[in-house]
Structures are given as structure tokens and as C-alpha cells.
Amino acid sequence: MKLNNHSINRVLIVGGTHGNELIGVYSVKLFQQHPELIHRATFESLTLLANPQAVKAGRRYIDKDLNRCFLEENLEDGTLVNYEDLLAKNINHIYGQNGKYPVDFIVDLHSTTSNMGVTVLFDDDKQFNLQLAAYLNYLHPEIKIYSSGSSGRGKHGLRSRAKFAIGIEVGAIPQGVVNADLFLKTQSIVYATLDYLEFYNQNKLPNFSKSFTLYKYTKKIDYPHNENGEITAMIHPDLQFKDYEALAPGDPIFLTFNGETIAYTDALTYPVFVNEAAYYEQSTAMCFTQKHQITI
Ligand SMILES: [Zn+2]
């Protein structure tokens, strides 16, 4: 079989990077029990339940967010010894580019309390990623494609360990809950991604539309706070569950606890991760994106 020059040799499918995001956890457990589901002829498929203690405890993490532990200097810093720091180092030793089983591609499975539908997330706009995004969006027109590139997230996330990676974020779903519809949709995106990599390796990519909508991260914003650091407002009910919908100057964005509407004043944007539970501690009420029509 003739493989192309930059073929994908090893793929890692990760769930439980956040221990209370159960769609990823149960997807990986399913793949571990039924490896034939993720077996493809031209590459090796591996699975990882990334944060087993957090999964056991039903929490996002034990000491700190594992998905913020993969900065190169942190991996080399011997003084960082809490549970997730050590986990990150161990994962890097096994699957990192100088590791025992270096992986070319990571699929990292997440869920969100925000109404993100099925979002395929890239940490950069490499041509390889855009091609894959176009393919997935062609097969599944209802999905959203989100690039977190300019947020810098690509550098300290687990996905940074591979040459190429995607995240799959599905919601809205509470933490610690599975949902059959979103579980099945997650599966279908995983399989479509593996199929794409197989076609890519075989130089047999089918014809598909090379045009899609890309939502690119621009910035994140915090909730309003008082002098004690407590939040003073909630996501406005008109904005709740409106991820990927236009937010224009003058539109309501927050509602204070005493009932005052706060209007959005900046340029037209498309918010995502609106009211994500895990982002309260990260001082993030939502992320803003710009909408781009991409043709490869
Ligand atoms: Zn997550």
C-alpha cells in the first residue's frame, strides 16, 4: 500500500481529560472494550482515560486543570509535583513527540454546559486541520467549527502533544451527566475523523465541498464583579443558550442580581462557551468569535 509522505501513524483518542465530562469518559471505555470500532488499516488507534482520579471522584480535576498543564516549561519543571502536573508529565513521556509511543493525531473528547451543539475545535489553522474541518462539516453540516488559535490554548492543552489534534465539545449538558444523543453524535465525529485519516493516508480523499464557516476566537470576557471579587450579574436570559448567534451592540448581555440589564457595547461578535460552568473559576463568562467563510 502506498502511503503519502506525511502519513498519520498513530492516533490517540482521549476522554476524561476533565473527569466530570462523561461523554468522553464512556466513549473511551466503549473503545477500550470494542477496539474494532476505532481500528483502521493504515494507522494504530490508542485510547487514554486521561485523568482517572478525577473520573473516579466525578470532578473536573483533583489539584488543577489537567488541560492547562502541558506548557513545555511546566513539563520540564521538576518542582511541579501535584497530581495533574505529574499526570501531564507521564502522558507526555508516553505519547509526546519524544515519548515511547509518539502520536501524530489526538482526538480529545469534552462536553460543555454551554449550548455548543457539536463543536469541532482546532487549536490552530493549519491547512491539514482546515481540510479535515471541511470534510467533517461536509458530512455533518450541523456541526460548528471553532478555532481557539489566538487564545493560546494550543500551547498548554493535552492536544499540544501531537502534531495534529481536534477537540470535540458537545453541549449543552450538565457536568457529571451523559446524554445519548450527544454521545452518538460524538461517536459519529470520531469515526468520520478516523475515516478521514485513513483516506488521507491512502491518498484517497473523496471529493467534498471545501467551503465552511469557521468561528475564530478573538477574546474572552468576565462577569461584572463587586469590590469583593463576587460576580454581580448573570448571563442575560436573552443570551443564555445562544452560542454562535450574533451579539450586536445594544443587545442584552448580563442581568444584574437586582434586575438591571447590561447591554453589549462592542463590535458584532458570535459568543461561544456562554455560561460554561467550569469557566467561572477562570473568570470567563463567554468567549467571543468572529465568523469567517473559509474556502480551501
Ligand atoms: Zn472539558
Side-chain angles (χ1 to χ4, degrees):
M1 190 181 312
K2 184 182 171 293
L3 300 183
N4 69 40
N5 294 335
H6 308 285
S7 58
I8 300 292
N9 296 309
R10 193 176 286 124
V11 175
L12 182 64
I13 302 171
V14 185
T17 301
H18 296 133
N20 55 8
E21 296 177 1
L22 297 189
I23 288 178
V25 170
Y26 285 108
S27 294
V28 161
K29 288 185 179 192
L30 173 70
F31 299 146
Q32 289 174 343
Q33 283 158 16
H34 295 278
E36 71 276 9
L37 293 171
I38 52 171
H39 174 79
R40 299 293 184 277
T42 64
F43 56 85
E44 182 182 13
S45 298
L46 303 177
T47 56
L48 173 68
L49 201 58
N51 194 332
Q53 288 302 325
V55 170
K56 199 180 272 181
R59 286 162 52 180
R60 184 174 175 87
Y61 55 78
I62 300 298
D63 292 321
K64 66 199 274 198
D65 190 335
L66 176 62
N67 215 21
R68 306 288 186 278
C69 291
F70 288 88
L71 258 188
E72 213 57 59
E73 59 250 47
N74 292 1
L75 293 170
E76 286 160 18
D77 184 342
T79 67
L80 295 176
V81 293
N82 74 33
Y83 177 64
E84 275 82 8
D85 285 322
L86 295 176
L87 259 187
K89 290 172 187 179
N90 191 41
I91 290 168
N92 186 48
H93 277 140
I94 300 173
Y95 303 109
Q97 293 310 294
N98 300 313
K100 210 169 162 195
Y101 305 105
V103 294
D104 300 306
F105 195 96
I106 288 176
V107 184
D108 193 18
L109 305 178
H110 291 259
S111 59
T112 168
T113 62
S114 307
N115 190 23
M116 303 277 281
V118 177
T119 293
V120 172
L121 191 155
F122 294 91
D123 298 312
D124 62 59
D125 301 345
K126 283 180 192 149
Q127 188 71 8
F128 183 90
N129 291 341
L130 296 178
Q131 288 265 9
L132 170 59
Y135 176 76
L136 294 174
N137 204 188
Y138 169 73
L139 279 191
H140 299 280
E142 71 283 5
I143 68 173
K144 296 284 194 290
I145 310 293
Y146 169 57
S147 167
S148 72
S150 55
S151 72
R153 282 292 295 110
K155 295 191 186 110
H156 53 184
L158 189 153
R159 291 188 293 273
S160 67
R161 297 304 92 202
K163 281 181 226 150
F164 304 105
I166 61 170
I168 303 176
E169 281 280 2
V170 295
I173 182 171
Q175 297 176 335
V177 169
V178 267
N179 165 303
D181 178 52
L182 292 173
F183 181 86
L184 293 173
K185 285 175 175 162
T186 297
Q187 304 288 303
S188 65
I189 301 300
V190 171
Y191 301 144
T193 301
L194 297 176
D195 292 343
Y196 177 90
L197 299 176
E198 181 88 328
F199 292 140
Y200 173 83
N201 277 351
Q202 296 171 330
N203 269 323
K204 282 184 187 167
L205 281 175
N207 282 324
F208 55 92
S209 164
K210 302 287 169 64
S211 182
F212 65 97
T213 303
L214 177 66
Y215 295 85
K216 289 180 86 161
Y217 172 96
T218 54
K219 65 176 173 182
K220 58 185 185 177
I221 64 156
D222 199 356
Y223 293 90
H225 285 88
N226 64 19
E227 59 279 6
N228 301 322
E230 297 168 330
I231 63 169
T232 54
M234 310 163 270
I235 300 294
H236 194 281
D238 290 355
L239 180 59
Q240 180 65 39
F241 298 128
K242 299 284 176 61
D243 300 70
Y244 293 113
E245 291 188 25
L247 180 69
D251 287 346
I253 181 167
F254 295 113
L255 182 69
T256 66
F257 293 116
N258 57 17
E260 183 193 331
T261 291
I262 299 174
Y264 177 64
T265 54
D266 211 339
L268 179 73
T269 187
Y270 297 82
V272 296
F273 290 112
V274 176
N275 210 358
E276 160 56 44
Y279 288 176
Y280 279 75
E281 66 177 24
Q282 295 174 24
S283 303
T284 302
M286 69 195 78
C287 299
F288 288 161
T289 72
Q290 287 298 325
K291 191 175 175 178
H292 300 265
Q293 201 55 37
I294 302 287
T295 301
I296 302 163

